[in-house]
Amino acid sequence: MSVWWKDVVGYQIYPSTFNDYNKDGHGDIKGITKKLQYLKDLGIGLIWIGPIYKSPKVDNGYDISDFYSIDESYGNLDDVKIMLKKAKELNIKVIFDLVLNHTSSKHEWFIDACNNIDSIYKDYYIFKDPVDNKPPNNWKGFFQESVWTYVEKINKYYLHIFSKEMPDLNWDNKNLRKEMYKVARFWLDLGVDGFRLDAIAHLSKDKTFKDSKLYKDDLVYDTSKFSNRKEIFKYLKEFKKEVLDHYDCVTIGEVGGCATTDEALKYSSYEDGYFNMVFNFDTCWENGAYGSIDKNDDEIKTNVLNMKKLFEKWYENINGKAWMPIYWLNHDHPRVVSQYGNIEYRNKSAKMLGLTLLFMYGTPFIYQGEEIGMSNVNHDSLDKFTDVNAKNIIKEFEDNYNDYEILRFLNRTSRDNARTLMQWSSKQVNYGKIYLNENYKVVNVEDNLIDEDSILNYYKKIISLRNNEFHNEAVYGKFKLVYRNNKDVFAYKKTSDKTIVVISNFRDYIVTFKDYVSDNKIILHNYNDVMISNNKLVLRPFESYLILIK
Ligand code: NOJ
């Protein structure tokens, strides 16, 4: 099997907000097809498209009610075929999101299971009897609620680690597993090049279903009860044998924030893993924004040291044994310019972030809009948040925090930040209810395309260097942090045939660094001139270099 997926730059499309072809206020498949050339021009070789299957969209498509059909709001199967054909012509690989952990509560299996005591689908899900008229245990799920919801008609609770509209599937059931393999084969047969496997670390739960004793509270958030449990690997072995081994496809498992590097290897090692790589989110929250409701804005500051050490840890523990995807964010995170950059230095900081990421190691994934420096929402009221998780956070905090505090927290952290409409033009019309960040008048693709100094044109340069002249260094070169204890600068060397150095100031103030510039060749730089003082390289806010060592 070929390893084309190591050589490409990936791009994540969040379909509802990417491109609205039919002008109904919501992205669609034709809209994606129309922008494939744009992605080709950017240098993209692989796109990951979020779920477009039939769904009530409680969780924007991750709640699937029919795995075999396309949600009307996106188009239909013919649109998908046309998109795949066009992508093939442009040599862009396409992967879909595959959600194996849960369905929508509107899936026919679940409806039958809740309405019919003898349903053959009951065992496709995890139903339990009430205990003393209460839920079976104290587990809290990812969306701030109990993992149990009661169904009166059959007097049972069902388990859902995400929202109550997303009941978890029971992977112990052989027929269910077969059904899910069939789903995967269907899409691979149609021509998709692989999958991003949603929530894959959670396929198995602690089957004793005993209370968590992690800490004392009514509900306990203890992800060990439903993450990375050993039975998963039995299922994945079967999935690989039944499905993946028969296709030249790429698989990227989402293992959330809960997998260690050793666990990641169990999923994806070259030797005996099941996927080609796994997403973890270790490096996404290194500014203290996560869990920051009590913090003031001045307490949110990128911990460059920690961030570098995390990237280093993943490289050192994984390199040579498995492959990794690398990214600043996905649709579950804040925008990276707001997170690690600074919108007052949008152009400089977005360029710096792009360069830092794209030469590091692994297969990079750019999240839609990152290439033009799209930033967080700045909502002025709580009712503007639409994400199911954000709504649950509001409920959870409203008794103990005021609106300002919750708003500040959500504006920093919520998933809505990445889910605003892609900003294509200053004349963009918003035909629906999905939020369009007000800065679209100045932050948009059209203007970026004509401005030589734009973030987009800089991304094109970075990607072109990665795809061509410095391909070996960027993709296969040995990674080593340079001055790893520097608290402000993220600098690293990549060595293959040549040695290159990336130097990036993560601060909005001036810092100094070793002068790599005077004796070597500057390949890329986000300022127009070089500042050296006392034999030191002076780095202005978010200044960043790509240097070729002579
Ligand atoms: C992970 C996805 O990235 C997220 O958006 C979703 O809410 C959960 N899995 C549940 O499917």
Side-chain angles (χ1 to χ4, degrees), residues 503-521:
I503 301 170
S504 294
N505 178 13
F506 266 68
R507 301 295 178 216
D508 56 4
Y509 47 83
I510 287 183
V511 301
T512 56
F513 200 69
K514 182 181 152 76
D515 173 16
Y516 277 91
V517 175
S518 300
D519 296 331
N520 297 305
K521 185 172 173 200

Side-chain angles (χ1 to χ4, degrees), residues 167-424:
D168 279 54
L169 289 164
N170 173 19
W171 271 70
D172 279 344
N173 185 301
K174 200 163 147 230
N175 293 335
L176 175 271
R177 295 203 300 273
K178 280 197 180 150
E179 290 278 5
M180 300 317 278
Y181 303 156
K182 210 169 100 193
V183 170
R185 278 194 295 263
F186 175 83
W187 293 104
L188 290 167
D189 288 339
L190 198 85
V192 308
D193 298 294
F195 300 115
R196 176 264 191 187
L197 295 116
D198 184 70
I200 203 70
H202 312 300
L203 292 192
S204 171
K205 330 290 179 223
D206 174 355
K207 283 176 219 141
T208 66
F209 293 103
K210 286 197 181 134
D211 276 351
S212 168
K213 301 217 161 49
L214 195 60
Y215 53 88
K216 263 195 164 349
D217 207 339
D218 294 347
L219 285 180
V220 176
Y221 182 62
D222 178 357
T223 56
S224 72
K225 297 290 179 195
F226 40 79
S227 306
N228 301 312
R229 303 194 67 88
K230 65 177 188 310
E231 298 79 10
I232 287 188
F233 300 101
K234 204 174 73 197
Y235 308 143
L236 295 183
K237 189 169 175 191
E238 187 183 76
F239 179 43
K240 186 167 179 283
K241 183 162 158 262
E242 297 282 321
V243 183
L244 302 178
D245 282 349
H246 306 277
Y247 297 85
D248 183 9
C249 62
V250 64
T251 46
I252 315 177
E254 187 218 20
V255 298
C258 46
T260 60
T261 52
D262 279 349
E263 277 159 344
L265 284 175
K266 286 193 205 151
Y267 288 98
S268 61
S269 80
Y270 294 133
E271 209 183 321
D272 52 9
Y274 309 98
F275 305 135
N276 300 116
M277 29 186 161
V278 288
F279 282 119
N280 73 83
F281 302 118
D282 263 14
T283 49
C284 296
W285 294 102
E286 285 312 306
N287 63 348
Y290 192 77
S292 65
I293 186 139
D294 293 311
K295 290 184 187 160
N296 287 317
D297 288 343
D298 55 10
E299 291 171 272
I300 305 292
K301 184 176 179 192
T302 305
N303 187 336
V304 180
L305 211 52
N306 219 26
M307 180 203 282
K308 287 194 289 191
K309 288 185 179 165
L310 285 170
F311 277 116
E312 182 186 52
K313 176 183 92 179
W314 278 90
Y315 179 80
E316 287 188 344
N317 292 342
I318 303 280
N319 184 48
K321 300 181 193 147
W323 195 251
M324 281 166 286
I326 193 158
Y327 41 83
W328 286 124
L329 76 148
N330 70 13
H331 61 286
D332 294 331
H333 302 114
R335 288 278 174 185
V336 69
V337 171
S338 307
Q339 183 88 334
Y340 295 146
N342 181 328
I343 53 169
E344 282 168 39
Y345 295 95
R346 189 186 304 270
N347 181 293
K348 301 284 185 228
S349 65
K351 288 175 176 175
M352 178 283 279
L353 288 161
L355 179 65
T356 311
L357 188 82
L358 280 142
F359 274 82
M360 208 156 0
Y361 52 74
T363 300
F365 277 84
I366 295 168
Y367 181 72
Q368 66 180 48
E370 192 178 327
E371 74 277 22
I372 54 166
M374 279 176 62
S375 48
N376 280 356
V377 296
N378 189 15
H379 288 330
D380 52 10
S381 71
L382 291 176
D383 55 11
K384 298 230 169 93
F385 289 92
T386 55
D387 170 36
V388 55
N389 192 30
K391 287 182 181 161
N392 287 349
I393 288 173
I394 296 170
K395 259 191 256 155
E396 185 179 19
F397 286 144
E398 66 195 354
D399 289 343
N400 297 319
Y401 292 91
N402 62 38
D403 281 12
Y404 166 77
E405 288 162 326
I406 304 176
L407 200 58
R408 183 183 61 183
F409 176 61
L410 289 178
N411 276 334
R412 267 177 205 156
T413 58
S414 100
R415 310 197 301 178
D416 285 61
N417 284 311
R419 300 175 178 197
T420 59
L421 293 174
M422 176 73 185
Q423 295 165 207
W424 293 106

Side-chain angles (χ1 to χ4, degrees), residues 12 14 48 51 58-63 97-102 142-143 161-163 166 196-200 202 254 256 281 330-333 387-389 415 419:
Q12 185 191 347
Y14 195 63
W48 150 28
V58 171
D59 189 20
N60 259 338
Y62 283 96
D63 47 323
D97 235 298
L98 185 65
V99 185
L100 299 177
N101 181 67
H102 45 268
F142 289 108
F143 289 175
I161 61 171
F162 296 98
S163 89
M166 298 152 83
R196 176 264 191 187
L197 295 116
D198 184 70
I200 203 70
H202 312 300
E254 187 218 20
F281 302 118
N330 70 13
H331 61 286
D332 294 331
H333 302 114
D387 170 36
V388 55
N389 192 30
R415 310 197 301 178
R419 300 175 178 197

Side-chain angles (χ1 to χ4, degrees), residues 55-59 62-65 102-107 110 125 143 145-147 149 158-168 388 392 395:
S55 163
K57 302 226 193 75
V58 171
D59 189 20
Y62 283 96
D63 47 323
I64 298 167
S65 52
H102 45 268
T103 67
S104 156
S105 53
K106 296 280 187 300
H107 193 288
F110 190 70
Y125 296 91
F143 289 175
E145 308 168 304
S146 163
V147 300
T149 291
Y158 66 91
L159 182 135
H160 53 88
I161 61 171
F162 296 98
S163 89
K164 62 181 184 317
E165 292 85 359
M166 298 152 83
D168 279 54
V388 55
N392 287 349
K395 259 191 256 155

